[in-house]
Amino acid sequence: MAIFVYAENINGVYKKAAFEAVSYAKSIADKMGDTVTAISVNPTDASDSLYKYGANNVINIKDDGLKNFSAKAYAQAVNEVATGNIIIFPHTTDASSIAPMLAIMKDSSLITNVLETPENLSPFQVKRRAFSGKGFMHAKADAQAVIVTVSQNAFGVEENPVSGSEEIKNLTISNEDTKVLSHEQSSGKLDLKEAEVVVSAGRGMKGPENWGMIEDLANTLGAATACSKPVSDIGWRPHTEHVGQTGKAISPNLYIAIGISGAIQHLAGVNSSKTIVVINNDPEAPFFKSADYGVVGDAFQIIPALTQKIKALKG
Amino acid sequence: MKILVCISSVPDTTSKINFTADKSAFDKNGIQWVINPLDEFALTKAIKLQESQGATVTVLNVGDTTTEPVIRKALAIGANDALRVNAEPKDSFSVAKEIANVAQTGGYDLILCGKESIDYNGGAVPGMVAQLLNQPFVNACVGLEINGAEATAVREIEGGKETISVKLPAVIAGQKGMVDEKDLIIPNMRGIMSARTKPLQVQEASASEVRVEGVSYDSVPARAAVKMVTPDNLDELVRLLHEEAKVI
Ligand SMILES: Cc1cc2nc3c(=O)[nH]c(=O)nc-3n(C[C@H](O)[C@H](O)[C@H](O)COP(=O)(O)OP(=O)(O)OC[C@H]3O[C@@H](n4cnc5c(N)ncnc54)[C@H](O)[C@@H]3O)c2cc1C
Ligand SMILES: Nc1ncnc2c1ncn2[C@@H]1O[C@H](COP(=O)(O)O)[C@@H](O)[C@H]1O
């Protein structure tokens, strides 16, 4: 019985989170001497991009009724094709909306926010994020079947090319409960939860007019931007950038915190970043205790200079 | 219009999280409990609908007697009445089952939840409840209006937002943005006094099965000591990030 994995796409294009989920599924399949079957809804990308990460089979669901997202309709679609006992999802907004509904349809255990490959396969046991980044839980599935959602950027993307095959599955799921009225999505912008580098700033930046230098640094690094809660509360930055215990939990390879004091609620959301750089003019700022590298000084001087130096490095 | 708001009781956000010596459980010693912050956005939204549309707002918690102060706080914020299903929450599925049981007979037009509880971070209960009730589900909701038998909900998506109309009854999970931070209600004296006499009904649990067990817990490992770089030596910072951490 194959390991199934939901390969999420945006407007037909696979997300990095899809590749990560396939990589994760592949690591389990290898342990079990099993294969990986990826499921995708109305993709336009070629399946080759999923074979590259280890998907032996790709089931492309074609259904005009699924043009727009509906958690329930998508869960029904996945339910029809995912016949295995292990189903992997990325922990994206859409996938983490489908997974709980599917868990009910399939009488499965659902383990969300998973960080590593399972510690045990039968019963399925795995380490997951808990207490909003303040702790970890080793969760054990009691049901026969298990659905997991993999925390983004935790396992990583691993190339593992196989020669795969594709199957088209035509479905006609009815969706009368929800109707999309409008959809705004900026395609060029780097997704905060997927980003490998995040440049984040807090109240120390004094006002929204000073974010130009933050964006310059972010652009130079190919990074996404984030902010502390008060910065989004007062409307300097959009809510979508708020990281922390009550915002997004992220785990980039590099997190640069500028003018952020390092309150416990902020740290909770970012402390699983692999490397943390803190820039703050107060040597006593608590954030330095949770940093790998620190610079005490004025962000308004440091940031433009740092951006120049990184530009020079990148040539 | 009847609204059910599901609230979970969680450690105050300033809490340090410790585990018991054998690491088998969360150590509740000295913890202050609060309404899950994401649920507070949902609750506030419900109170706004109570004011604008005459909705009645019932808060529901699956918990043991220790959650009652948190339920009273929700009543002080403005809920009409409350229900506690007497059970220590064990996993998302069993909690969702209890909520669905209540909803099955309650005739609610709308069930509001938070997107995720900040303690166990399941992000699972609302979707499970929706499926158990065979209702539509909108997650990560950042805006909501009710027009008769339909809701217009805005949900956050990666890199943007989407506006959807949803047939009621439905389950909607909210987060920050559903109402403005400044609109969150801090209970006043009158609210606190009246909360004491508002109905808080207790119902026995149906003892449904548990599907996920927390077998053990770990704290977050401490980072190695921070390396400080002076502001006039940013070349060194760039070098460290490039050569040592290998992240740029
Ligand atoms: C229920 C609840 C939930 C919360 N959830 C979150 C959450 O999810 N995420 C979150 O971030 N917060 C959260 N908070 C808020 C948190 O407690 C802090 O208030 C917040 O993180 C502080 O934001 P800040 O660091 O930007 O601002 P401040 O604490 O004001 O810090 C600003 C920092 O900038 C520095 N600074 C000033 N000028 C300069 C300069 N020129 N150059 C360099 N540095 C400078 C200062 O030294 C200071 O350290 C929550 C709070 C509550 C009560
Ligand atoms: N014990 C509980 N009682 C009532 N509602 C709950 C409980 N646990 C979770 N919920 C609701 O489900 C949401 C998501 O919780 P979770 O799936 O545990 O992350 C919360 O924000 C609450 O709205």
Side-chain angles (χ1 to χ4, degrees):
Chain A
M1 224 179 332
I3 311 297
F4 283 80
V5 53
Y6 179 72
E8 183 167 330
N9 65 67
I10 287 192
N11 304 324
V13 180
Y14 288 118
K15 300 190 54 160
K16 181 179 150 203
F19 303 141
E20 190 173 18
V22 172
S23 307
Y24 185 88
K26 172 69 176 164
S27 77
I28 296 179
D30 283 348
K31 277 193 193 168
M32 299 179 68
D34 209 331
T35 57
V36 173
T37 299
I39 299 168
S40 189
V41 178
N42 297 327
T44 50
D45 262 3
S47 296
D48 296 0
S49 54
L50 299 178
Y51 304 153
K52 191 166 135 193
Y53 299 96
N56 305 86
N57 302 294
V58 176
I59 301 177
N60 283 337
I61 296 173
K62 301 277 182 207
D63 185 345
D64 284 343
L66 301 179
K67 275 226 165 77
N68 290 314
F69 182 76
S70 146
K72 195 168 149 194
Y74 272 53
Q76 278 166 352
V78 176
N79 189 36
E80 292 215 10
V81 295
T83 48
N85 266 344
I86 300 178
I87 308 175
I88 313 295
F89 284 85
H91 197 78
T92 55
T93 305
D94 285 359
S96 63
S97 310
I98 304 169
M101 302 192 94
L102 186 65
I104 297 299
M105 295 174 184
K106 292 211 171 289
D107 291 326
S108 301
S109 293
L110 171 67
I111 307 182
T112 58
N113 275 311
V114 158
L115 299 168
E116 293 174 0
T117 44
E119 293 154 355
N120 195 31
L121 287 165
S122 182
F124 196 95
Q125 184 174 314
V126 66
K127 182 174 172 180
R128 62 181 296 275
R129 187 199 307 275
F131 297 94
S132 296
K134 292 179 181 174
F136 303 107
M137 172 184 182
H138 300 266
K140 178 166 84 83
D142 284 345
Q144 260 273 308
V146 56
I147 296 176
V148 309
T149 70
V150 185
S151 185
Q152 280 170 267
N153 268 347
F155 182 76
V157 171
E158 277 176 13
E159 286 191 22
N160 228 320
V162 294
S163 60
S165 64
E166 180 185 282
E167 177 190 338
I168 309 280
K169 182 90 185 170
N170 290 300
L171 294 180
T172 45
I173 308 269
S174 78
N175 172 28
E176 282 150 14
D177 296 334
T178 60
K179 200 165 84 216
V180 171
L181 304 175
S182 72
H183 183 95
E184 299 161 39
Q185 196 163 29
S186 55
S187 52
K189 216 163 164 254
L190 204 63
D191 179 13
L192 178 53
K193 285 177 83 173
E194 286 196 342
E196 277 165 23
V197 181
V198 172
V199 176
S200 185
R203 217 148 46 179
M205 290 310 293
K206 311 284 190 284
E209 66 281 4
N210 297 324
W211 247 262
M213 67 178 87
I214 300 298
E215 277 169 354
D216 279 349
L217 176 58
N219 289 337
T220 306
L221 287 165
T225 49
C227 68
S228 66
K229 177 171 180 283
V231 162
S232 70
D233 288 350
I234 41 187
W236 292 358
R237 301 297 291 177
H239 289 312
T240 48
E241 286 195 359
H242 161 201
V243 292
Q245 199 167 357
T246 53
K248 291 192 171 68
I250 55 170
S251 37
N253 291 340
L254 173 61
Y255 183 76
I256 305 183
I258 303 158
I260 300 176
S261 56
I264 185 166
Q265 298 100 338
H266 184 87
L267 295 177
V270 302
N271 65 12
S272 58
S273 308
K274 276 129 218 140
T275 299
I276 296 181
V277 175
V278 168
I279 298 167
N280 197 303
N281 64 0
D282 174 7
E284 302 299 321
F287 216 147
F288 286 119
K289 291 206 181 72
S290 305
D292 299 290
Y293 304 104
V295 187
V296 176
D298 181 9
F300 293 85
Q301 309 287 322
I302 294 171
I303 299 310
L306 181 62
T307 305
Q308 284 316 315
K309 292 193 189 296
I310 293 170
K311 269 193 186 140
L313 172 81
K314 299 217 160 187
Chain B
M1 161 134 186
K2 288 179 72 179
I3 304 176
L4 183 69
V5 183
C6 304
I7 58 166
S8 68
S9 166
V10 298
D12 169 46
T13 59
T14 57
S15 309
K16 289 230 162 63
I17 301 298
N18 297 309
F19 300 107
T20 54
D22 65 357
K23 305 208 296 182
S24 69
F26 167 52
D27 182 358
K28 296 179 178 168
N29 258 317
I31 294 290
Q32 301 281 333
W33 298 88
V34 297
I35 302 176
N36 183 38
L38 283 72
D39 305 355
E40 223 177 309
F41 290 108
L43 176 61
T44 308
K45 187 75 218 184
I47 303 302
K48 293 214 170 286
L49 292 167
Q50 179 197 56
E51 288 161 359
S52 64
Q53 310 214 350
T56 57
V57 178
T58 301
V59 287
L60 168 63
N61 170 259
V62 179
D64 57 22
T65 50
T66 60
T67 67
E68 291 207 355
V70 164
I71 300 175
R72 290 280 174 212
K73 168 139 189 235
L75 290 169
I77 286 173
N80 299 76
D81 57 4
L83 185 62
R84 179 170 67 82
V85 175
N86 190 31
E88 195 195 334
K90 292 238 166 63
D91 77 335
S92 320
F93 177 72
S94 56
V95 169
K97 268 285 225 206
E98 299 300 342
I99 294 174
N101 282 347
V102 169
Q104 223 112 41
T105 53
Y108 300 100
D109 304 286
L110 179 63
I111 300 176
L112 290 179
C113 297
K115 185 182 84 159
E116 184 177 282
S117 55
I118 64 163
D119 51 0
Y120 290 93
N121 302 124
V125 168
M128 286 182 170
V129 170
Q131 185 55 37
L132 288 166
L133 297 169
N134 194 26
Q135 289 181 10
F137 170 48
V138 179
N139 202 5
C141 179
V142 292
L144 179 66
E145 277 168 56
I146 307 294
N147 0 56
E150 262 180 21
T152 304
V154 184
R155 70 177 187 108
E156 189 181 308
I157 53 177
E158 277 81 9
K161 54 189 172 188
E162 187 171 84
T163 307
I164 8 184
S165 76
V166 190
K167 285 210 179 117
L168 298 179
V171 179
I172 293 184
Q175 61 176 31
K176 185 181 173 190
M178 196 178 207
V179 294
D180 270 350
E181 192 80 18
K182 62 172 171 29
D183 290 334
L184 290 177
I185 302 162
I186 299 161
N188 56 21
M189 209 24 130
R190 202 165 54 104
I192 295 167
M193 295 306 282
S194 72
R196 290 191 189 157
T197 55
K198 283 182 181 172
L200 192 173
Q201 207 190 316
V202 179
Q203 186 173 312
E204 281 315 309
S206 66
S208 72
E209 104 204 58
V210 168
R211 288 189 181 162
V212 175
E213 285 170 64
V215 287
S216 68
Y217 296 85
D218 298 325
S219 302
V220 177
R223 257 169 218 273
V226 58
K227 284 192 186 165
M228 300 304 288
V229 176
T230 55
D232 53 11
N233 196 11
L234 294 175
D235 285 321
E236 175 62 4
L237 178 63
V238 173
R239 190 194 67 79
L240 287 167
L241 292 176
H242 185 57
E243 290 172 14
E244 187 177 79
K246 298 190 170 60
V247 287
I248 63 173

